[in-house]
Amino acid sequence: MEKDGRPNWDSPMQFVLACVSYAVGLGNVWRFPYLCQLHGGGGFLIPYLIMLLLEGLPLFYMELAIGQKMRLGSIGAWTSISPYLGGLGLASVVTSVYLCLYYNVINAWSFWYLFHSFQSVLPWAVCPINSNRTGPTEECEVATPTQYFFYRETLNISSSIEENGGIHTGQALCLVLAWAITYLFIVRGVKSTGKVVYFTATFPYLVLFIYLIRGVTLHGAINGLKYMFTPKMAELANPRAWINAATQIFFSLGLGFGSLIAFASYNQHNNNFQNQAIVVSLINSGTSIFASIVTFAIYGFKATLNYENCLDRMRLLLLNTFDLAEDAISMDSVLEWTEKLNTTYPEQFAQIADKVREGECNLEKELDTAVEGTGLAFIVYSEAIKNMPLPQLWSVLYFFMLLLLGMGSMLGNVTAIITPLRDFKIMSRMSNELFSGLVCVFCLLLGLGFTTTSGNYWFTIFNDYAATFSLLFIVLIEVIAVSYIYGIKRFEKDIEDMLGHRPNWYWKIMWAVTSPLLLIGLFIFYIINYIQGGTPTYQAWNKEHFYFLLNRQYGLSLLKVWVRSCLTKSPVIPCTPKRK
């Protein structure tokens, strides 16, 4: 193995940190907490951990074993197993290219927010002054400052996918910076990547720990933590909770992209990848739970703040309507006084009944509002940060953490492209620096389309379709190929050759039966869900009326009737474009 000229990781620790940096990404921070909130708080951990054992861990182990045994990227590894499977590796490379095109755009957004955090007043904390300098910008006033900053200042979003107003210069420069840093991280292959992961894999935990200490001390944080740790066991009977748990494990570990195969191909032949697979999988899942505790503390703070603001508005309404003394109604007695005044003065109360119903204050309802993706990372967190003491400090820490999580995942995404292509002789003649540079420039030029005014709509399409359904298909073929084409017995012997012992019955049952059946079930679910979903639609920002028009059809200018205003009392409710 030393004579094949393939570079190796300097130590097993570098390999583990590279896998952690790749697997622990933005999904752990903005997807897992959303699923916990959606499926009954801590109760979601039961299907999540079961799916980790039945699906995530065995498939993670399998990909590491293939990469370490074949010492090739995805295309070469699968071609070695069978000449007919080379297309499987190519499919992984194509999917990784799709992912790289839009994933670094998120890092560009993080750079944008990070740079704007070094101001005396955070720009998403207040509305900008209008051109006449007579008051706040109307578009911002109707929405919220955080929504305005994201959709207008950051994205400068158009009213539909068909309207293209050119490239957003600021975002384009941030994207160039994101790709430049990605290039520096991978320019010398595993030699440079191995050094970078010591930072990208560890620093986010320091920030999360700092945020945990700050989060649990925030006013109302306990309400969010109670919500998380009070499981709604009825959700266990909900099939979608189990399906979401399976898909979260699958995508969180980064299966099917070829990154794990590429990373493992730089291991020593006798490296103990079995223990490493278990450690990385547990770290990944533990990080999701840890990030959820932080997120629910922030949720609790924000929900409590919204709830108390609502009570204060209701208190002022009652005081003004019934001409009561200023100290007659306290915050704690608002609901009691509402019932009392309704009973005592029914005719007078009827005049404000509509306002009372519209402004109904409910803490549980605030906590039930689930947000994911960019709506959580760039709107909800920004809303919470601006209400903290020293918001600039917390903003810098948070967006720097997001940046490192995104960059860490990009190392794996780009390695999944470069490693298999450099296995070809014609590509191996180029220097690492030149070839890596060409890949980065290619992805950068195509990715500039996401920085246009309609770029966010294209981002949503890629996020929903480019690397979801295709990955399920790729990993399903992988596990069938290993179990029934290459053969479990041959695979056992390969593992024995590397580790000195054969895998036990648990691994063999998972590879041969359980994992394939689960993947087939998920595959069927996605097909049925797609068919039943009808024509894909998205939310589009209406610049003139400052709200989102829902259900625009992709490729059509027809607007359907249903309209939801972004004028909400709680900014927790997102106006994020997504497939409805």
Side-chain angles (χ1 to χ4, degrees), residues 493-512:
K493 289 179 181 178
D494 290 340
I495 293 172
E496 184 179 24
D497 180 47
M498 291 183 284
L499 300 181
H501 63 83
R502 296 196 174 199
N504 60 34
W505 58 269
Y506 160 73
W507 301 107
K508 290 184 281 188
I509 291 175
M510 294 301 108
W511 294 326

Side-chain angles (χ1 to χ4, degrees), residues 38-54:
L38 193 65
H39 295 297
F44 181 71
L45 295 178
I46 296 172
Y48 178 77
L49 294 175
I50 289 174
M51 288 302 172
L52 172 66
L53 293 175
L54 298 182

